[in-house]
Amino acid sequence: MKLNFPLLALAVGAFAIGTTEFSPMGFLPEIAQGLSISIPQAGMLVTAYAVGVMIGAPMMTLWFGKYSRRKALILLMGTFTIGNIFAAVAPSYLGLMAARVITSLNHGAFFGIGSVVAASLVPKEKQASAVATMFMGLTIANIGGVPLATWFGQNLGWRTAFATIASLGVVTMLSLYKALPPLKSTEVTNVKQEIQVLMRPRVLMALLTTVMGSGAMFSLYTYIAPSLKTFTHASATMITVMLVLIGIGFSIGNHLGGKFADRSIDKTLIGFLGVLIAVMVAFPVLATTSVGAGVALVIWGAAAFGIVPPLQIRVMSVAHEAAGLASSVNIGAFNLGNAVGAAAGGLVLSLNLGYGAVTMVGAVMAVLSLGLVFWQMSWVKK
């Protein structure tokens, strides 16, 4: 099979972004100790990143619209690199907070513009697979990049971890420069018209589907460590193994989601959301043994990430006149779903309903996402 180097370069960028997004969760205690702050304060760095993604997605897409897509992607990874360098040398908590926000600004626009570029590099019948190839870098980051960066943060210092991640940005910029062909601009000629496209009911419905689907995933993923301690009585080592299994599931689901979505976006979403609902309902029972938990989490990871490529392609298709902006905003919708899912899980825990209720909340959000898919299908038939 011939390697598609432009798609590989985009995947390298996705790997770098995935590593910087998730790895700080693994060395929050080291950050807290180094800056003399509490763990909850350090946790706000994760929240700040998510907020930056939502704000930066449309802003950076519109801002870089005058450049060729290759140049825009390189400049976005330049922002990523600068942000991580600032994080490595941040003199204070507020300085690190600002650095994390700067780093996050590239996230939505990179995946948004990158999705459009990936789709443009292949025939129409393979566009979902091309988008999935780019996102594969994000899933692989959960298997290799995040654990490695976590090890750096815990053993060599969190500043070393951020500096190393910054080097991934440099590698990505060189890869994009060498691999991507000359590409036209994102053609943001009329901001008002682009925003009007996003306000269409079908586009808003597609974005809401993304929010609910992502929320279903993160209602459990955010609390996976304490859930495993409760259901499986898992040790720290076992939790690490389970996280790797989730990453493997993500990679499998991302690949299958792209392949199946090339044939049918709706059927792919229905199938994976159905599996996601079933696994989340059964998880408290399956997770009572280590083997059951491991199998369940691989399937859960595959179902959770299997919906990503079709959701991305759906938004791009229903907002094709503003595909770049819509694609970027959809990445923001994924992050909004992350926040909603985490908040929903936290709410049921604050009500002392237990970790079994967390998985039920996730199942309910997946049901809502599935209902929105059927609703959109009924619109098409009319």
Side-chain angles (χ1 to χ4, degrees), residues 27 30 148-161:
F27 50 83
E30 285 73 22
L148 185 59
T150 298
W151 185 89
F152 269 66
Q154 292 175 343
N155 294 279
L156 303 177
W158 59 269
R159 296 184 186 276
T160 302

Side-chain angles (χ1 to χ4, degrees), residues 351-362:
L351 295 174
N352 296 317
L353 297 178
Y355 289 99
V358 171
T359 65
M360 293 304 114
V361 167

Side-chain angles (χ1 to χ4, degrees), residues 205 208 369-380 382:
M205 195 66 67
L208 184 58
S369 186
L370 183 59
L372 289 169
V373 173
F374 282 117
W375 193 0
Q376 291 167 83
M377 290 174 64
S378 69
W379 285 8
V380 173
K382 291 180 180 178

Side-chain angles (χ1 to χ4, degrees), residues 177-192:
Y177 180 77
K178 289 289 186 180
L180 287 185
L183 298 164
K184 62 182 180 179
S185 71
T186 49
E187 296 179 353
V188 182
T189 55
N190 189 313
V191 174
K192 185 177 180 180

Side-chain angles (χ1 to χ4, degrees), residues 220 246 279-280 282-283 286-287 290-302:
L220 174 60
I246 290 173
V279 175
M280 295 195 81
F283 187 74
L286 295 173
S290 298
V291 173
V295 172
L297 287 175
V298 171
I299 297 173
W300 175 85

Side-chain angles (χ1 to χ4, degrees), residues 269-281:
L269 288 172
I270 291 169
F272 279 117
L273 285 170
V275 173
L276 187 61
I277 293 166
V279 175
M280 295 195 81
V281 169

Side-chain angles (χ1 to χ4, degrees), residues 339-350:
V340 170
L347 177 61
V348 298
L349 290 176
S350 68

